[in-house]
Amino acid sequence: MIPENSQLLFSREQIELRTREIASRISADYQGRQLVIIGVLKGCFVFLADIIRNLDLDITIDFVQIASYGAGRESSGDCVVLKDLGIDIRGRDVLIVEDIVDTGETLAHLIGDLQQRSPASFRVCTLLNKQYRRRVEVTVDYIGFEVDDVFVVGYGLDFDERYRALPDIYALPPEVQA
Ligand code: PRP
């Protein structure tokens, strides 16, 4: 069900095309290497499912879940790991997959954590990026789309746990975001 007065931001066709482009770049960049894909729950699950099915690589998949507590929708940087990795990434090439990078707090926390486990390399892929919101500098290697000052839902992204199953991405009207 589409939220009332929302605006279509990225259609399923746009998302599919961009996902294929990104997957091609990742496949080229990691050609001949094994890759560990780490999805950041929950929002990543739809994007991750589409990305991995377009990769021409030998991959392993695992997930982490991190809660970032703060006032309202603002991350505080106070991150708590709700689900940790179940595999050893020492000496492995790692790609983190996110649905959206906003303040960068969640990613910065995760990167700090993963670096202590001595991977051979790590990169970050996100479907959506809110560069203007960044509070912590993080390097994002693969970006689907830049997003302006709107609250986005659909294709894995939620508003109070709703709308994750929408095939397209919508911007909620300002009155809903308040
Ligand atoms: C979202 C998103 C990122 C994080 C980005 O997760 O999936 O993990 O916020 O925000 P930041 O850059 O400001 O830290 P959220 O906490 O909404 O949980 P969810 O994925 O379960 O919806």
Side-chain angles (χ1 to χ4, degrees), residues 67-86:
S68 175
Y69 297 106
R73 301 187 199 301
E74 191 75 13
S75 286
S76 64
D78 198 5
C79 294
V80 176
V81 176
L82 300 179
K83 188 222 170 290
D84 199 358
L85 277 184

Side-chain angles (χ1 to χ4, degrees), residues 30 32-38 57-62 85-96 114-123:
Y30 289 93
R33 288 149 70 187
Q34 289 187 329
L35 182 62
V36 179
I37 307 254
I38 298 177
L57 292 172
D58 183 4
I59 61 164
T60 306
I61 301 160
D62 203 355
L85 277 184
I87 56 171
D88 186 4
I89 59 166
R90 178 177 295 272
R92 311 285 305 272
D93 291 316
V94 169
L95 179 68
I96 298 167
L114 295 185
Q115 271 178 331
Q116 289 179 19
R117 306 179 197 211
S118 308
S121 72
F122 73 86
R123 285 187 178 177

Side-chain angles (χ1 to χ4, degrees), residues 41-43 75 98-106 158 164:
L41 294 170
K42 298 178 194 171
S75 286
E98 269 281 23
D99 53 330
I100 188 164
V101 181
D102 188 339
T103 64
E105 300 277 9
T106 304
D158 75 307
R164 291 194 198 271

